[in-house]
Amino acid sequence: MFYFVASNCHQFITIMLKTVDLTKIFRTDEVETTALNRVNLEIREKEFVAIMGPSGCGKSTLLNILGLLDNPTTGKYYFNGTEVSKYREGQRTKLRKGNIGFIFQSFNLIDELNVYENVELPLLYLRTGASERKRLVNEVLDRMQISHRRKHFPQQLSGGQQQRVAVARAVVTNPKLILADEPTGNLDSKNGEEVMTLLEELNNQGTTLVMVTHSPAHADRAHRIVHLFDGHIVTENIREEFRV
């Protein structure tokens, strides 16, 4: 586990995620593309970090590695103090369960399942008991104000409602970390603001949040903004009240 001392309050703050010279190279028979180039990044517990940059700069690649969906080509990645960059797929899957929730721009709901069943799915993977599943799903549907749609299927919902379901699915296991890839990208401004408010509430309740976004207004709601360009971190901006 990694710690550092906050100079203004003398408290130990846990580093949840840490990358050291993280590099990701995609290769085909004819082309070699460096998506990430020696990225060094630390994210603290309970922090809200926004990742910005032009298309193709490596944002989603970084998020995939942070979420244990992929391994780096070289470099190290520490998750809660454990070096996981060489984990095999089965090991990554086991670590993701219950620890990481994902929210995607395209919602990624299963069309054949209704709202209740979509949200219940992560609990089935965790082999949570039936009565506990029911309690947790009903609780999170109420929290996301989507209970009245529990028997509806994704195609019967608006974009904003689908994203609420996606958020509910991401948080039903009470994960320590939520990774959001353009969570408002397919939403109008009103629904986008509602989703951002939900994410801020989750962060205020103690969930670490890392969000990829193209929206400066939404990024400004984060504690820190990390700017990527051509696979490098070029700047980081920290809101004054969160400087340590």
Side-chain angles (χ1 to χ4, degrees):
M1 196 74 70
F2 299 94
Y3 300 92
F4 67 87
V5 180
S7 59
N8 59 341
C9 59
H10 304 293
Q11 293 180 344
F12 286 97
I13 301 173
T14 305
I15 300 294
M16 174 180 276
L17 312 177
K18 179 177 180 178
T19 72
V20 180
D21 290 339
L22 198 74
T23 297
K24 182 65 177 181
I25 300 172
F26 294 102
R27 294 184 176 95
T28 66
D29 291 339
E30 299 178 355
V31 179
E32 180 176 288
T33 303
T34 301
L36 297 173
N37 192 352
R38 300 176 68 87
V39 170
N40 293 285
L41 178 66
E42 291 182 350
I43 295 174
R44 306 189 297 272
E45 274 191 354
K46 304 181 182 180
E47 193 175 14
F48 179 5
V49 176
I51 300 174
M52 298 193 74
S55 297
C57 72
K59 301 186 300 299
S60 293
T61 300
L62 178 58
L63 207 69
N64 285 341
I65 293 175
L66 295 180
L68 300 167
L69 296 173
D70 198 3
N71 280 341
T73 305
T74 60
K76 295 182 179 181
Y77 173 36
Y78 296 87
F79 186 93
N80 276 336
T82 300
E83 213 278 289
V84 298
S85 61
K86 303 302 182 186
Y87 269 27
R88 297 183 298 275
E89 184 175 353
Q91 293 174 294
R92 298 199 310 268
T93 299
K94 184 177 180 180
L95 186 54
R96 282 198 307 268
K97 289 180 179 178
N99 286 314
I100 305 175
F102 295 90
I103 304 171
F104 302 96
Q105 177 179 351
S106 57
F107 317 134
N108 283 16
L109 301 177
I110 298 175
D111 289 338
E112 293 76 20
L113 301 181
N114 63 29
V115 165
Y116 184 99
E117 293 164 339
N118 265 283
V119 175
E120 182 186 34
L121 201 56
L123 299 173
L124 292 172
Y125 291 147
L126 289 174
R127 299 182 179 179
T128 305
S131 60
E132 181 69 355
R133 288 201 311 271
K134 183 177 181 180
R135 182 186 71 80
L136 290 170
V137 174
N138 285 333
E139 185 178 276
V140 77
L141 289 178
D142 286 340
R143 186 176 172 191
M144 297 299 147
Q145 300 179 12
I146 199 73
S147 292
H148 61 296
R149 298 287 193 180
R150 69 179 64 239
K151 296 301 182 183
H152 288 70
F153 290 87
Q155 61 269 27
Q156 297 174 301
L157 305 176
S158 68
Q161 290 169 336
Q162 289 187 61
Q163 195 61 296
R164 281 179 178 273
V165 177
V167 174
R169 183 185 56 189
V171 304
V172 71
T173 61
N174 193 29
K176 300 173 183 177
L177 170 67
I178 289 180
L179 302 176
D181 194 354
E182 295 283 359
T184 62
N186 282 338
L187 303 177
D188 60 31
S189 58
K190 179 177 181 295
N191 283 309
E193 285 301 306
E194 288 180 358
V195 167
M196 286 304 305
T197 298
L198 287 174
L199 294 179
E200 283 184 307
E201 289 173 358
L202 292 170
N203 176 247
N204 290 336
Q205 291 162 10
T207 303
T208 306
L209 178 60
V210 183
M211 176 183 70
V212 164
T213 183
H214 280 103
S215 168
H218 292 166
D220 282 344
R221 296 167 77 157
H223 304 163
R224 177 162 52 117
I225 305 173
V226 175
H227 294 269
L228 284 180
F229 186 78
D230 285 348
H232 297 274
I233 293 178
V234 289
T235 60
E236 293 189 49
N237 305 111
I238 305 172
R239 281 167 51 185
E240 187 63 37
E241 60 266 39
F242 294 104
R243 293 183 182 275
V244 294

